[in-house]
Amino acid sequence: MSLALIQESAKEVRRLAIAGSPLAVGDFRLKKLIDPLEQAGAKVPVFAQVAKAISAVVDGKEADSAANLLTLSTLLNAILYTQGQSTNSGDFRELDMVATQCGSTRTTARVLKPLVQALTTSGGGRFEVIKSACERGAFNDLRLIEPAIKALDDSYPEVADLVAEKVLPGYGPGIVRRLKATFDVKGKKSDGRRLTIMHELDPAGALELCQAALDGGSPEVKAAAIACLGKHEECLPLVMEQVNSKNKTLRAAALEALAEHDRPEIAKIFTEMIQGKSLDLLSAPLQKFRNKQVLLSLVSEGRRVFDLLVKGDEEQIPRYGDMLGCLTNRKEPEVEEFLLSCFGQCDKLAKVKAAKNTYVAGADLVAMLAAMLEHLGSARALDAVLERRDAIPPSAFPHVLSCALRAWPADRVYQEFSPLLEQKRGAGKEKARQIETAIWSGFSNADDSEPGERKVAWDIRWLDAAIKADNELIVYSLATPNHKGAIAYLLKALESKKQQAGYIIQTLARCRHPGLTDVFIDLVQRKTKKAQAFDWEIRQLF
């Protein structure tokens, strides 16, 4: 007997059970099944019983619809369970066991839905949703494994990288088989991420796959394979071969991987490349490769290039910039001596014009040197920047100010730089803006400072200087209780057409102004008279 009609009837009954039994009365989709069932009932009586039960539902009353629909559903289920096929042919075998480091949680599907959408759709704002979920441990749920794997193909690289670095490794080796099933050795960056995760979770098991990817993979997958193979001592010869690859991406990946191993043959490779033309590829690797011989070679080449620069050879600017990039974040004595010797001639370096093949000029290199000396943070480095502050281009002034705040007492910083607030044009105006930025950022980010981080102490006279120079941001940042000048300035600022009402009220509250309530109510009354349906100023005020 053919069960197609019974299966179709069961499908329609399930639809109506979900929609509600009153809708079953007069339902045309169910009604059209009556005639075929009656015809089949001539040979198989049970079909006629089904047709009769459907007629009772379709032609019955709404009050009886629930009982009639339940009777029909029971009959259909009885037929399907007794006459339908309930087995499947096949050999017995053990089920694959997948070990994961997470399990089922009591998180509802409604709560998980926004996270699943962020992982599987496109659009703005998704990165913040995923990052927040990662920070609060929301990915410890088996239901999120598949959406997270799909996110490796996300068109927004930041989302894919976050999932690859922070989410998927947390599920443990159990997901390796699932990653391998969707891995394409000829694929793109997403497949490179898959290979990296598989190697991180199962280094020994993924080694053969990495070697195969190095032989016949796409450039993106090869780069990932090189990074993985670089973690195995026995595979370093394969990685060293890629240093001479025609593909720049593969050369960079090989150098990054080799930088983790301090070996004579690897040091020789870096030493030779320092003398070559591919110095830009060494910036990231040499920040990690701590070999004394290579460092001395880099410093020696840097001195040679610098001597050519100060003699007017502007074509050396890109190479010298790459040299400084290689020394970024390094604090060895040799690096400090090199930077100090170069910075001692910053007046000559600042005069070098940009070459034809770059927009970087000598003044930009001086700013880079000042930034690196500031990062070193030693007394010699800070003093060197401050001693040459008049010879440094205005673009490097933030580094001068930062060095002064670290090396000088608050009184001297005020005496030296407060006159700049009065400057209204040219380089002086730009320096005043940078002082304003430094004070405001220190105030607005005070709550985000790390424990033990040194907090900048600004002389109280900066507040008076800011009031005199009519610098609102500095007044907002430094205003303190019982400072009559600041209170008067803020109250006067409320009368301005361009006033920042939210900041002013917040500052008055911090200063514990006794008349704040009256000021606030008066301000709200004035602003709501001409307010639109959505008024940003009122929203900010509240």
Side-chain angles (χ1 to χ4, degrees):
M1 132 180 110
S2 175
L3 294 176
L5 286 173
I6 301 298
Q7 291 170 343
E8 180 67 19
S9 301
K11 178 181 176 182
E12 297 301 332
V13 168
R14 183 175 183 276
R15 172 180 63 83
L16 291 169
I18 295 172
S21 61
L23 298 177
V25 177
D27 184 79
F28 73 95
R29 292 168 65 175
L30 195 59
K31 190 174 184 178
K32 69 179 182 180
L33 294 172
I34 296 176
D35 290 339
L37 286 168
E38 288 178 342
Q39 294 175 9
K43 296 181 178 180
V44 183
V46 71
F47 280 77
Q49 294 181 28
V50 174
K52 183 178 180 181
I54 292 177
S55 298
V57 172
V58 174
D59 300 328
K61 299 178 181 179
E62 286 190 9
D64 302 327
S65 60
N68 293 335
L69 190 63
L70 179 60
T71 300
L72 174 60
S73 177
T74 303
L75 177 60
L76 291 171
N77 286 333
I79 296 172
L80 289 173
Y81 275 105
T82 55
Q83 302 298 324
Q85 183 179 357
S86 60
T87 60
N88 194 15
S89 60
D91 299 328
F92 287 99
R93 62 182 178 84
E94 291 187 8
L95 292 175
D96 294 331
M97 301 298 293
V98 178
T100 62
Q101 298 177 2
C102 66
S104 299
T105 67
R106 295 189 177 186
T107 307
T108 63
R110 179 176 296 179
V111 174
L112 290 181
K113 183 178 179 181
L115 183 52
V116 173
Q117 288 179 332
L119 291 167
T120 58
T121 60
S122 59
R126 297 179 299 118
F127 180 80
E128 289 73 16
V129 173
I130 298 171
K131 183 179 179 181
S132 175
C134 189
E135 291 172 349
R136 67 176 187 269
F139 280 97
N140 189 30
D141 195 299
L142 288 170
R143 291 169 290 180
L144 294 174
I145 292 179
E146 284 299 323
I149 292 176
K150 184 177 179 181
L152 292 174
D153 301 304
D154 200 281
S155 58
Y156 189 55
E158 283 78 0
V159 168
D161 291 338
L162 177 64
V163 170
E165 295 171 10
K166 302 293 185 181
V167 176
L168 287 173
Y171 290 121
I175 67 169
V176 170
R177 189 171 301 174
R178 184 68 190 91
L179 290 168
K180 193 173 182 179
T182 57
F183 173 69
D184 181 8
V185 74
K186 298 286 187 180
K188 297 184 179 180
K189 185 67 179 290
S190 59
D191 294 286
R193 296 187 187 101
R194 283 177 171 82
L195 183 61
T196 302
I197 300 169
M198 287 190 283
H199 179 268
E200 180 180 350
L201 296 175
D202 184 15
L207 185 57
E208 184 178 348
L209 187 60
C210 291
Q211 292 172 339
L214 185 61
D215 290 334
S218 63
E220 294 86 352
V221 176
K222 278 187 175 181
I226 290 171
C228 296
L229 292 173
K231 301 183 185 300
H232 298 267
E233 293 278 347
E234 68 276 13
C235 297
L236 289 182
L238 291 175
V239 178
M240 285 191 283
E241 291 177 3
Q242 299 300 318
V243 172
N244 299 318
S245 172
K246 295 181 180 180
N247 189 303
K248 187 175 181 179
T249 302
L250 300 186
R251 296 201 304 274
L255 292 170
E256 284 264 18
L258 293 174
E260 302 288 346
H261 307 273
D262 190 354
R263 289 184 168 194
E265 61 270 28
I266 296 175
K268 182 180 178 181
I269 291 174
F270 282 117
T271 302
E272 292 175 352
M273 290 194 68
I274 288 173
Q275 310 300 325
K277 297 181 179 180
S278 300
L279 197 59
D280 57 319
L281 296 179
L282 296 179
S283 178
L286 287 186
Q287 292 181 38
K288 298 185 294 184
F289 193 62
R290 302 297 182 177
N291 182 278
K292 190 67 170 289
Q293 176 188 347
V294 173
L295 177 62
L296 293 177
S297 177
L298 181 62
V299 170
S300 176
E301 178 66 8
R303 294 185 188 279
R304 184 189 72 82
V305 173
F306 182 79
D307 290 340
L308 294 175
L309 258 180
V310 294
K311 292 178 181 178
D313 186 1
E314 66 273 5
E315 297 298 327
Q316 298 295 326
I317 287 180
R319 185 168 181 80
Y320 185 72
D322 291 336
M323 289 281 177
L324 295 182
C326 293
L327 295 173
T328 300
N329 298 325
R330 302 196 63 160
K331 297 185 177 184
E332 294 90 339
E334 294 83 359
V335 175
E336 184 174 11
E337 289 296 333
F338 169 67
L339 295 177
L340 287 172
S341 64
C342 294
F343 197 74
Q345 303 183 60
C346 63
D347 50 345
K348 296 180 181 179
L349 182 60
K351 296 177 181 179
V352 180
K353 297 181 179 179
K356 294 181 181 179
N357 60 339
T358 180
Y359 62 87
V360 179
D364 300 305
L365 295 177
V366 173
M368 290 177 64
L369 285 170
M372 295 178 72
L373 289 171
E374 177 200 344
H375 180 71
L376 280 175
S378 66
R380 290 181 64 198
L382 299 179
D383 290 341
V385 175
L386 294 173
E387 287 173 6
R388 310 286 296 185
R389 60 185 180 276
D390 294 331
I392 297 177
S395 59
F397 180 76
H399 307 300
V400 175
L401 180 61
S402 178
C403 290
L405 291 170
R406 296 168 66 179
W408 289 349
D411 175 69
R412 186 175 179 184
V413 175
Y414 172 78
Q415 295 289 351
E416 181 72 26
F417 299 118
S418 61
L420 292 173
L421 294 185
E422 299 289 342
Q423 300 296 318
K424 302 299 181 184
R425 62 180 62 183
K429 179 181 179 180
E430 177 60 23
K431 291 180 179 180
R433 188 191 65 80
Q434 290 167 358
I435 292 174
E436 173 192 282
T437 301
I439 295 176
W440 173 252
S441 61
F443 165 72
S444 57
N445 298 326
D447 295 336
D448 298 329
S449 59
E450 296 293 333
E453 183 178 344
R454 179 180 178 271
K455 295 183 179 180
V456 176
W458 296 91
D459 192 291
I460 190 60
R461 289 173 292 177
W462 279 103
L463 180 55
D464 296 317
I467 293 172
K468 182 179 178 182
D470 192 21
N471 192 302
E472 294 182 3
L473 279 182
I474 296 181
V475 175
Y476 300 156
S477 304
L478 301 181
T480 58
N482 303 320
H483 194 289
K484 296 181 180 180
I487 300 295
Y489 176 86
L490 293 168
L491 293 176
K492 183 178 179 181
L494 285 174
E495 305 301 324
S496 171
K497 293 183 179 180
K498 297 182 180 180
Q499 40 92 346
Q500 298 285 339
Y503 288 137
I504 295 175
I505 294 298
Q506 183 180 10
T507 307
L508 287 172
R510 193 176 74 247
C511 293
R512 302 171 188 171
H513 177 50
L516 177 61
T517 302
D518 295 334
V519 171
F520 180 78
I521 293 174
D522 179 66
L523 185 61
V524 171
Q525 289 176 340
R526 284 191 284 130
K527 285 190 171 294
T528 51
K529 287 181 179 179
K530 298 180 180 180
Q532 304 297 321
F534 180 87
D535 193 293
W536 173 249
E537 289 188 3
I538 295 179
R539 182 181 179 88
Q540 185 186 37
L541 182 62
F542 278 95

